[in-house]
Amino acid sequence: MSPRGVATPDVRERLFAAAERVVEKGGPGALTSRSVTAEAGCAKGLLHAHFAGFDEFVAELCLDRFARTAAKAQALSRLAGQGTVARNLDAVALALFHSGGPALSGFAMTRPAAALRIRQALESGAPGFTAIQEAITRYVQDEQELGRVARTIDPHTVALAIVGTAHHLLMTTWPGAPDPRPAMTRLVSALVEVAR
């Protein structure tokens, strides 16, 4: 455990990663400020020293993970012409499901203050599903220019189908439910097949 009075490097990420491990081990019901700090191996008050409360912590964790996936989606355009279209799209879609994503999203939605904070941040322009959808649209358009995706398909519809399905699976998956990732992979493959 980190001693009192000693700076803890990259506190946010350390606590976020600890929260993901807690959810992976015990489900969202195990997620408390104490379980997070215990998993992170730091003082119990560290979470509250960096966040206004547990709801803010949960909201910031979800927003951080959305932003990471959005950054990954924005990097898709650099992959145009490389690998397979399905694999490139699948990697972005599945990024939302890593590290307990469905459980964390569902947990956040059960906490009104966290859900409100997430909604307000997204409405103010924080990267989330809209940024991911826009990046996927641009990527599909880039692949159309290269002839790897048929011009007869609508890139906006492909992006909406991927993001909408990911959102649905994130909000309706709970611990013990079937793994949502295979369904996501099948959808991406089906969309790309239709696109050919």
Side-chain angles (χ1 to χ4, degrees):
M1 181 167 307
S2 301
R4 285 182 175 258
V6 174
T8 305
D10 201 9
V11 173
R12 285 174 56 94
E13 182 51 36
R14 183 172 173 182
L15 292 171
F16 289 167
E20 290 173 330
R21 290 191 303 273
V22 168
V23 169
E24 286 172 4
K25 291 176 191 174
L31 194 63
T32 64
S33 57
R34 283 183 182 253
S35 68
V36 171
T37 54
E39 180 67 29
C42 58
K44 291 180 175 115
L46 189 65
L47 186 144
H48 292 283
H50 290 272
F51 299 92
F54 191 60
D55 285 324
E56 181 180 299
F57 170 77
V58 170
E60 290 298 320
L61 169 58
C62 288
L63 290 167
D64 181 80
R65 292 335 192 214
F66 286 157
R68 283 183 178 204
T69 304
K72 189 169 193 158
Q74 289 165 354
L76 271 173
S77 286
R78 293 194 301 268
L79 298 176
Q82 301 175 38
T84 68
V85 175
R87 190 168 301 142
N88 293 341
L89 290 171
D90 201 39
V92 168
L94 294 182
L96 287 163
F97 299 97
H98 289 302
S99 301
L104 284 171
S105 295
F107 181 72
M109 294 303 108
T110 67
R111 301 184 66 89
L116 176 63
R117 168 77 182 98
I118 291 168
R119 191 184 83 231
Q120 289 172 336
L122 294 174
E123 287 173 353
S124 297
F129 289 111
T130 300
I132 296 166
Q133 185 175 337
E134 290 168 356
I136 290 172
T137 299
R138 283 191 302 275
Y139 170 71
V140 173
Q141 289 168 338
D142 292 344
E143 291 289 16
Q144 281 181 321
E145 292 295 319
L146 295 171
R148 292 177 13 122
V149 171
R151 292 206 178 263
T152 55
I153 66 129
D154 178 14
H156 298 283
T157 302
V158 170
L160 178 62
I162 292 171
V163 171
T165 301
H167 185 270
H168 168 73
L169 292 171
L170 280 169
M171 296 302 132
T172 60
T173 300
W174 56 90
D179 184 352
R181 291 172 291 192
M184 194 74 238
T185 297
R186 286 192 303 273
L187 172 77
V188 170
S189 293
L191 290 170
V192 173
E193 286 299 317
V194 168
R196 288 184 180 154

